[in-house]
Amino acid sequence: MPTVKQGAIGFGTTVIQSTVIELNSFSTYLELYINFMSKMVPDSTSMGTGTFDAIQRGTNIFSSIVGEKIMIIFTDGKSDNPALTKTVCY
């Protein structure tokens, strides 16, 4: 079974810096999930949907990784800037 590098980024209107978990910070998905969820505290920066910022940050993290990359994004589908989001999705 291949080694999987995992990380997480919370985003609202912008990336919520306190939620950024760099690749390989935890050895299991459960550890990653528990740590990430403990950092997700709603505040004024988490009320919008800055999809572009989240995708851009993920892309930057992946840029130095060789091989297959998978980014999973959970969103309400209501990007604050759909036109800008499309520029990083296509």
Side-chain angles (χ1 to χ4, degrees):
M1 181 176 226
T3 301
V4 176
K5 295 180 179 181
Q6 60 206 12
I9 301 171
F11 69 97
T13 303
T14 61
V15 171
I16 304 168
Q17 292 302 319
S18 65
T19 67
V20 175
I21 299 173
E22 299 298 334
L23 296 174
N24 292 335
S25 297
F26 296 95
S27 58
T28 69
Y29 293 122
L30 181 59
E31 289 174 319
L32 174 72
Y33 176 78
I34 290 169
N35 186 277
F36 179 75
M37 293 309 291
S38 71
K39 295 178 177 185
M40 284 300 296
V41 178
D43 63 18
S44 62
T45 65
S46 64
M47 297 305 153
T49 307
T51 312
F52 168 80
D53 288 333
I55 295 171
Q56 189 66 45
R57 182 68 182 260
T59 301
N60 290 344
I61 290 170
F62 282 156
S63 66
S64 64
I65 306 291
V66 176
E68 185 176 13
K69 303 165 190 103
I70 299 170
M71 184 184 315
I72 301 170
I73 301 170
F74 297 98
T75 177
D76 60 6
K78 299 176 183 174
S79 176
D80 291 345
N81 190 333
L84 195 54
T85 299
K86 285 181 183 179
T87 67
V88 292
C89 292
Y90 297 104

